Amino acid sequence: RQVTVAAAILEAGGFADFADRRRVRLIRPSSDGENKRFTIDVKAVLERGDASKDMLIQPGDYIVVPERLFNF
């Protein structure tokens, strides 16, 4: 089954109150030892249906949801 970053976040219970939904990071280990990093605007995916901004998760990937700098 193929799962996207947005779907994985929703399956995990969604975002915390102060999550930065526009700068979700996908970290993908590579065979050369250098991790590839992608930034995903999950807010655009969920609110506007812009699936072009989403990515499929692969085995070994990490998803990092940072906190927003300003929480108001």
Side-chain angles (χ1 to χ4, degrees):
R1 169 184 141 184
Q2 294 183 330
V3 178
T4 65
V5 171
I9 290 170
L10 291 176
E11 286 181 25
F15 287 103
D17 290 338
F18 299 116
D20 188 343
R21 299 167 190 200
R22 294 178 189 239
R23 292 182 184 87
V24 174
R25 285 186 232 114
L26 175 74
I27 302 170
R28 180 166 290 158
S30 63
S31 58
D32 64 5
E34 293 292 320
N35 291 337
K36 295 181 182 177
R37 298 172 187 271
F38 306 91
T39 301
I40 302 161
D41 185 350
V42 177
K43 183 175 182 175
V45 174
L46 298 177
E47 290 182 4
R48 295 191 301 256
D50 189 353
S52 69
K53 299 200 183 289
D54 210 352
M55 290 184 67
L56 290 173
I57 297 173
Q58 296 179 2
D61 284 354
Y62 295 93
I63 298 171
V64 179
V65 181
E67 286 186 85
R68 290 179 290 180
L69 292 177
F70 300 100
N71 297 311
F72 50 86

